[in-house]
């Protein structure tokens, strides 16, 4: 189809292949006069803009020339691959002149566009060609057998390829060989072609069919085969194209007789050697395959002859033809409709008639209706054979499951015999790019399969790079251990034993507290307060007595009396007491007494989140426990700084709240990275497993976010080819469309058609069940489906551990239709029973060790608040027993149960009182401790609270006065970590955190000299005030004044931390 | 690691031009200059010829599987100017529709995201792009974008179905308000983005200009829930560009040169998780590329006859970041 038109009678030259955009240069033809008979001449450059649908070529420049041209070529001389230099336009003039133009200067509109001019030839220069190997070499031909070889780098004197051929004749064509750079061919209208070898400087072969009717108008070398060339004849009596092979130069290899009259020009496509253009005096433009002679295409032209035809070197589908009717047309050989052409005619018409309202009638012309018939004619068929450049030889496409499908065809022309040998193969390959991810996923699966959660967590703890990571894994691990609440407390820095020891110390310090039972006392009934109280007591009026005591600020008396006065009075008195009391820990005591843990969790200072969590762990009942942990987590997440936000994860782990953990974690981490997703999934899977084992919570619902993460994870696994693993991790009990679809896809990708599915039209309704039916052994390792369900049992009720519920659908959700009769649920063999909860206690330990641990509903009783009467005459047997054994290792004594009045006075508490209560203990265990605490060395306790949870228990504690160093440095590192963005800094900080352990060890061993200790403290102080430069100064001072060996282990990293902090401005 | 798990001997009698797996990765469709389309069952490393589809009268350039929710449907396009839609009914593959609305070679076919229904985009050397929509009962409605790419459209690729302004899919029940978009690349060196207007007409939304020669292929990356849209394009000029658009309006696309090859690049294909790009070039080289942490595209593998190793540098970098 025609793309563009230029109304010129001109020779034409396309810009070289390197050039972008594509230009077409035209120079006024010397041989043809246009309709105006104008003798002026010009050189013009047009741009081929294919994005412009109109037929007009954009004119870039016009240079009025004093020459008219016989031949115009555009060489890529000095062009680089980017086409920055526009090359050289070489023109053959009428009077033996060869002129070199600079196209870029023409485009720029310069006056001086001629690079050089030589009038060496004696007649019109009709033949020009650029050597494609050495683009500075140009061959020219004119009459009198003149052939010159020009070096554009040294244009002054041309060479000759050898002695002139005799008899002297015009040279009408000249062409460099496309394969061998020193071979040149020339041809003349007489029909003779000569092949020159420039190395020998002589003609090596002459080609002629001796018919005397070959009038050579065209000569072209085969683009690929060095020894072949075609000659075209313009003689009407012999309008043929001869294909010659120089190896058999006696007669043409093939003769193409497709034109009815003489051929005026030919052009052989460099992009596809099977495409040869020819135009002739029969007004046809044909595209033939010179290797077969077949006509592939006839361009639709008008009836005019074309005298010049050129392929566009850059765009292989584009060609241009110059015709005697004064027009250069640009065509595509790819066919298509010629609507554009019609549009141009329409436009021309309307412009002739003025605009839409040419006659000023006020009525715009109706749009031109083009008859339907024309439209049919306007379709131009493409080449019969697809050109080489659209035959895609290679391809690689990804498909589901990380598979890559590739094919490649042998390059070149695997024609004839070669084709038989070439097997048309397609390779299906597995692409695995995330090895670490896969191996970690594998480990996780193994842990789940083998139930080796504790060791898995321990490995994770050992491998942790950051304190936080270590914490998280420690918390997760606790889930699978005995006495999980106690262990949580330990992780939070509260060790029961520690406090027990302190208590014992305490007791030793306060001997003889028990009042002697002997002796007499005086019952006073005087008029003072004492007297009034006495009266009230004597009359049994506890209420008044308590009032009186309260009024007199005798709190202890009041409470004791209230206890005697019964529950109601006690409660009232407690309220009044709390109303009056203003001590810092009152709120804690209030919460403990009133069981109002919500209050603590809701209003504690977030810096004390550990303490709040500890309190919840100690006291909260199972039914409120997780809610409280959640609440605390939510506060940390919403109110805390970024560091505290991540700590919220710990609360969610305690709460067993998988969904929140996912949400919180996702906020803090970059989830798109497979390994960070792996980090999350590991935790989630372990936590879910833990929750499932404890049965404390409903583990069935998979929230949106978790489902999304799990399916993301499954997708990643699938993308690495681990289809079975992906299936195993995909949540079961959800009907979210994307998960259902993914499951379906995974099942089928495994080559196991989803059973019970009659039509493949409805993936949404598919019941994605695998063929593999679970055997009686629920943990069968070869059945991923079974594993899946083991991780994520579903259904409305929490299934017992290890019990697998298949295909149970939550009726509350818009679930897929009920399973078909073939559904596996009905076919399941009975499951082994031993893990059912009711049997829990009697189960063999091997099976039940883990599940038993966290069975809080059965064996967990939170410490009963102090409202239970301490001096209850009935007492509980346990406490009575303990009272008789004051020296028992247990941390309580009967003495401690006496209220301590000075408690009210406010001990120097800075934190929250450390509770000693422990999950699973009888109520009486915890209550005395609380009350006994006032005498304990609280200062130490409180500081000990601040020790980071993961501190190794085996190590000696850091002396209290130096703990501040550790907390300050750790805190600083955490702050830096949370604001550092680049991985390198994070690594540095993590490393620093680890190296500072050396410092802490030295602190524990108390081996550091006082100077260094003092220096460290002042660094810590400057960190507190965020004066890092001061800290650095102190640092320098320490380093310069101290023994290198003493400080080298930790001082350099401290400097790193300080400078990072200063840099990050945390 | 790239390791061959199956070598399928297609017995095509001429050059293979495309090979595509179905949605599940269990069936392979191939097409060739021998005018045939073949379907193989390749489960478990096997290669059972299921169908040898004859109907095209010229080289078949591309095949495309429809989403299985519509059944087993395959589209093929050919130099014979036709698009044929094949369907499996009762275990036999048959031609179900033939579209001959193009005037030149049809170079590319691509099914729209299944959320839109059964819609096929076809790009042709006649410069037009046609959109076939299944309207039920064997009827296909045709919309045509004329002069989409002067002298030819080489590739079409649909944008994933994403509701503007929302990162995750909307809850089921209400019908999401999708905006249909696709990208095309052509012989005018341009990539164009098209979007369906409310009146159902297709409108050119964007022209992406960076290539200096024919755009051979475009591939819109699958959505992975991020707000960024990504398109890969490759060209006769040897360049592969990654185009990204972050803004909600979808109008600010910026190109990043992935690599300049020494030869024409024919095909680009995203992995399902959109993190790896497979690039196939005229030197018969297949390379895999991945974006590193710092946003540079790195070649992680050279694939030769389906085999290759994967450099671990990127993975290590990610690990260090942890």
């Amino acid at each position: 189809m025609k793309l563009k038109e230029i109304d010129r009678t001109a020779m034409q030259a396309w810009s070289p292949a390197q050039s972008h955009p594509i230009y077409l240069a035209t120079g006024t033809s010397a041989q043809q006069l246009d309709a105006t008979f104008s003798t002026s001449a010009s050189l013009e450059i047009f741009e081929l803009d294919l994005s412009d649908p109109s037929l007009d070529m954009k004119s870039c420049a016009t240079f009025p020339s004093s020459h008219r041209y016989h031949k115009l070529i555009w060489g890529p001389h000095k062009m680089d691959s980017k086409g920055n230099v526009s090359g050289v336009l070489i023109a053959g003039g009428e009077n033996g002149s060869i002129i070199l133009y600079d196209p870029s200067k023409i485009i720029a509109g310069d006056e001086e566009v001629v690079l050089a001019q030589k009038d060496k030839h004696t007649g019109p220069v009709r033949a020009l060609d650029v050597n494609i190997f050495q683009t500075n070499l140009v061959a020219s031909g004119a009459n009198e057998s003149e052939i010159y070889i020009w070096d554009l780098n040294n244009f002054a004197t041309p060479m000759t390829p050898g002695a002139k051929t005799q008899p002297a004749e015009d040279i009408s064509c000249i062409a460099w060989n496309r394969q061998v750079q020193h071979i040149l061919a020339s041809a003349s209208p007489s029909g003779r072609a000569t092949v020159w070898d420039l190395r020998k400087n002589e003609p090596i072969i002459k080609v002629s069919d001796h018919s005397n009717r070959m009038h050579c108008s065209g000569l072209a070398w085969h683009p690929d085969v060095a020894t072949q060339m075609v000659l075209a004849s313009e003689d009407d009596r012999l309008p043929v194209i001869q294909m010659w092979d120089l190896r058999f130069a006696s007669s043409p290899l093939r003769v193409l007789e497709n034109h009815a009259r003489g051929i005026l020009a030919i052009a052989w496509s460099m992009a596809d050697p099977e495409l040869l253009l020819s135009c002739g005096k029969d007004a046809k433009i044909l595209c033939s395959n010179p290797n077969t002679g077949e006509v592939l295409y006839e361009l639709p032209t008008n009836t005019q002859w074309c005298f010049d035809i050129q392929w566009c070197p850059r765009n292989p589908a584009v060609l241009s033809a110059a015709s005697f009717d004064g027009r250069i047309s640009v065509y595509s050989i790819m066919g298509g409709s010629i609507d554009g052409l019609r549009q141009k005619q329409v436009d021309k018409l309307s412009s002739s008639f003025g605009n839409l309202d040419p006659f000023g009638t006020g009525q715009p012309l109706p749009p031109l209706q083009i008859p339907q018939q024309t439209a049919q004619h306007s379709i131009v068929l493409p080449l019969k054979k697809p050109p080489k450049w659209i035959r895609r030889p290679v391809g690689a496409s990804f498909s589901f499951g990380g598979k890559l499908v590739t094919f490649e065809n042998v390059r070149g022309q695997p024609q004839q015999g070669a084709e038989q040998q070439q097997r048309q193969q397609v390779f299906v390959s597995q692409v695995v790019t995330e090895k670490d991810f896969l191996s970690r996923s594998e480990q996780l699966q193994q842990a789940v399969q083998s139930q080796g959660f504790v060791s898995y967590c321990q490995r994770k703890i050992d491998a942790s790079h950051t304190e936080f990571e270590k914490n998280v894994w420690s918390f997760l691990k606790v889930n699978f251990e005995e006495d999980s609440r106690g262990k949580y407390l330990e992780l939070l820095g509260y060790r029961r034993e520690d406090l027990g020891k302190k208590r014992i110390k305490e007791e030793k310090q306060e001997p003889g507290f028990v009042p002697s039972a002997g002796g007499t006392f005086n019952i006073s009934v005087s008029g003072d307060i004492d007297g009034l109280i006495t009266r009230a007591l004597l009359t049994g009026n506890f209420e008044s007595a308590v009032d009186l005591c309260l009024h007199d600020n005798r709190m202890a008396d009041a409470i004791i009396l209230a206890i005697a006065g019964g529950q109601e009075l006690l409660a009232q008195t407690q309220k009044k007491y709390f109303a009056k009391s203003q001590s810092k820990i009152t709120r804690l005591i209030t919460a403990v007494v009133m069981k109002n843990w919500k209050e603590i969790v809701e209003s504690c200072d977030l810096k004390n989140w550990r303490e709040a969590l500890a309190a919840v762990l100690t006291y909260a009942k199972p039914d409120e426990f997780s809610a409280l942990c959640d609440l605390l987590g939510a506060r940390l997440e919403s109110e805390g700084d970024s560091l505290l936000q991540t700590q919220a994860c710990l609360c969610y782990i305690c709460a067993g709240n998988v969904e929140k953990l996912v949400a919180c974690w996702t906020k803090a981490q970059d989830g798109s990275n497979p390994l960070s997703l792996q980090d999350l999934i590991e935790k989630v899977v372990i936590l879910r497993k833990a929750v499932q084992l404890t049965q404390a919570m409903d583990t069935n619902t998979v929230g949106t976010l978790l489902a999304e993460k799990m399916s993301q994870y499954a997708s990643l696994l699938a993308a690495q080819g681990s289809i079975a693993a992906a299936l195993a991790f995909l949540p079961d009990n959800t009907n979210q469309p994307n998960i259902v679809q993914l499951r379906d896809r995974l099942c089928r990708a495994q080559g196991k058609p989803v059973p019970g599915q009659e039509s493949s039209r409805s993936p949404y309704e598919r019941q994605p069940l695998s063929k593999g039916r679970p055997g009686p052994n629920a943990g069968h390792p070869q059945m991923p489906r079974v594993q899946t369900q083991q991780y994520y049992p579903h259904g409305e009720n929490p299934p017992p551990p290890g019990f697998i519920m298949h295909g149970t659908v939550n009726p509350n959700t818009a679930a897929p239709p009920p399973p078909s009769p073939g559904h596996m649920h009905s076919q399941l063999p009975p499951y082994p029973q031993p893990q059912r909860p009711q049997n829990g206690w009697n189960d063999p330990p091997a099976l039940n060790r883990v599940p038993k641990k966290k069975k809080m509903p059965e064996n967990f009783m939170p410490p009963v608040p102090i409202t239970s009467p301490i001096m209850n005459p009935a007492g509980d047997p346990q406490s009575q027993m303990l009272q008789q054994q004051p020296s028992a290792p247990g941390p309580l004594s009967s003495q401690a149960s006496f209220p301590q009045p000075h408690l009210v006075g406010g001990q120097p508490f800075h934190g929250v009182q450390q509770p000693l209560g422990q999950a699973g203990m009888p109520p009486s265990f915890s209550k005395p401790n609380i009350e006994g605490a006032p005498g304990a060395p609280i200062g130490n306790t409180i500081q000990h609270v601040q020790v980071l949870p993961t501190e190794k228990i085996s190590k000696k504690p850091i002396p209290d006065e130096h703990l501040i160093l550790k907390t300050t440095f750790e805190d600083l590192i955490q702050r830096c970590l949370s604001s550092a963005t680049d991985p390198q800094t994070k690594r540095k900080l993590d490393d620093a955190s680890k190296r500072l352990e050396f410092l802490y060890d030295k602190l524990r061993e108390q081996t550091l000299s006082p100077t260094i200790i003092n220096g460290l403290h002042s660094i810590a102080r400057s960190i507190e005030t965020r004066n890092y430069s001061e800290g650095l100064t102190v640092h320098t001072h320490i380093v310069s004044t101290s023994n290198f060996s003493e400080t080298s282990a930790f001082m350099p990293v401290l400097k790193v931390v300080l400078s990072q902090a200063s840099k990050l401005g945390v | 690691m790239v390791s061959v798990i199956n070598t399928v001997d297609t017995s095509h009698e001429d050059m293979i031009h495309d090979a595509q797996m179905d949605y599940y990765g269990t069936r392979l469709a191939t097409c060739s200059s021998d005018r045939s389309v073949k379907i193989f069952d390749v489960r478990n490393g096997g290669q059972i010829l299921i169908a040898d589809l004859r109907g095209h009268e010229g080289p078949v350039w591309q095949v495309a599987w429809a989403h299985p929710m519509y059944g087993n449907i395959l589209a093929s396009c050919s130099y014979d100017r036709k698009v044929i839609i094949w369907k499996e009914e009762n275990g036999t593959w048959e031609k179900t529709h033939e579209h001959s609305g193009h005037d030149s070679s049809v170079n590319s076919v691509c099914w729209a995201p299944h959320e839109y229904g059964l819609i096929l985009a076809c790009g042709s050397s006649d410069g037009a792009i046609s959109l076939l929509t299944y309207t039920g009962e064997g009827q296909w409605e045709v919309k045509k974008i004329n002069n989409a790419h002067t002298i030819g459209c080489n590739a079409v690729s649909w944008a994933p179905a994403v509701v503007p302004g929302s990162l995750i899919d909307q809850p089921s029940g209400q019908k999401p308000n999708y905006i249909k978009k696709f990208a095309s690349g052509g012989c005018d060196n341009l990539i164009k983005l098209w979007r369906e207007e409310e009146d159902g007409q297709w409108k050119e939304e964007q022209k992406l200009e960076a290539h200096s020669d024919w755009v051979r292929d475009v591939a819109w990356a699958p959505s992975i829930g991020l707000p960024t849209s990504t398109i890969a394009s490759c060209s006769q000029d040897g360049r592969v560009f990654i185009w990204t658009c972050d803004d909600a309006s979808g109008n600010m696309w910026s190109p990043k040169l992935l690599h300049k090859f020494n030869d024409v690049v024919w095909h680009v294909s995203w992995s399902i998780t959109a993190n790896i790009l497979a690039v196939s070039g005229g030197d018969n080289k297949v390379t895999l590329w991945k974006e590193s942490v710092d946003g540079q595209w790195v070649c992680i593998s050279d694939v030769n006859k389906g085999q290759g190793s994967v450099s671990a540098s990127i993975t290590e970098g990610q690990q260090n970041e942890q």
Side-chain angles (χ1 to χ4, degrees), chain B residues 101-165:
Chain B
H102 284 286
D103 303 327
S104 185
S105 171
V106 185
N107 302 317
S108 182
V109 280
C110 183
W111 290 101
H114 65 86
E115 290 89 343
Y116 305 160
L118 208 47
I119 307 178
L120 185 72
C122 322
S124 164
S125 283
D126 67 4
I129 296 168
S130 55
L131 292 131
L132 313 185
T133 307
Y134 187 66
T135 53
E137 286 157 22
Q139 295 304 304
W140 294 80
E141 179 200 277
V142 182
K143 278 180 195 164
K144 200 163 172 188
I145 306 171
N146 281 313
N147 295 318
H149 293 277
T150 310
I151 71 165
C153 171
N154 295 326
V156 282
S157 175
W158 286 85
V162 177
V163 181

Side-chain angles (χ1 to χ4, degrees), chain A residues 65-209:
Chain A
S65 163
S66 52
H67 299 274
R68 297 165 75 90
Y69 304 106
H70 284 275
K71 182 75 180 173
L72 190 64
I73 60 171
W74 193 330
H77 180 54
K78 285 192 175 163
M79 276 179 100
D80 56 16
S81 59
K82 288 176 186 162
N84 285 335
V85 179
S86 57
V88 184
L89 260 177
I90 305 150
E94 287 169 293
N95 304 315
S97 55
I98 291 176
I99 314 127
L100 307 184
Y101 297 95
D102 183 340
S104 60
K105 285 190 175 162
I106 299 177
I107 291 169
D110 279 8
E111 303 259 317
E112 286 300 315
V113 299
V114 177
L115 292 168
Q117 178 174 350
K118 286 281 167 193
D119 301 335
K120 180 90 179 167
H121 283 292
T122 52
V125 180
R126 293 195 177 88
L128 283 171
D129 196 27
V130 174
N131 188 305
I132 60 167
F133 301 97
Q134 281 178 270
T135 57
N136 57 316
L137 293 183
V138 177
S140 66
N143 41 7
E144 303 297 327
S145 296
E146 280 174 3
I147 298 176
Y148 291 119
I149 313 293
W150 306 84
D151 182 352
L152 296 183
N153 294 324
N154 182 15
F155 194 60
T157 42
M159 310 179 295
T160 59
K164 282 186 187 176
T165 52
Q166 294 298 334
E169 53 190 351
D170 288 354
I171 304 293
S172 56
C173 322
I174 201 155
W176 292 97
N177 190 282
R178 301 299 192 188
Q179 299 291 320
V180 186
Q181 58 173 331
H182 53 86
I183 302 291
L184 180 76
S186 62
S188 58
S190 69
R192 268 188 293 274
T194 310
V195 179
W196 307 81
D197 184 341
L198 294 197
R199 286 189 312 192
K200 296 178 179 164
N201 213 30
E202 61 181 30
I204 49 170
I205 196 165
K206 291 191 180 177
V207 177
S208 168
D209 71 341

Side-chain angles (χ1 to χ4, degrees), chain A residues 50 314-315 334 383 389 392 409 419 423-424 426 428-430 432 434 679 744-745 760-761 766, chain B residues 1 3 5-6 8-10 13 17 23-24 68-69 79 104 150 212 214 216 284 290 306 320 322:
Chain A
L50 291 174
R314 186 175 183 88
N315 194 328
M334 293 309 292
L383 283 171
W389 61 81
R392 186 163 88 181
N409 291 280
E419 200 175 315
R423 310 244 304 264
Q424 302 291 343
V426 173
V428 182
S429 310
Q430 182 68 56
V432 176
E434 306 285 346
D679 280 341
D744 167 77
R745 197 172 187 181
S760 55
R761 282 179 148 265
R766 281 173 186 164
Chain B
M1 237 1 242
S3 38
I5 52 175
N6 198 347
V8 181
D9 215 330
T10 60
E13 288 154 23
H17 298 298
Y23 179 78
Y24 300 109
M69 71 185 284
Y79 188 72
S104 185
T150 310
S212 59
W214 291 7
R216 287 294 188 175
N284 278 349
K290 196 173 171 191
N320 291 340
Q322 294 301 302

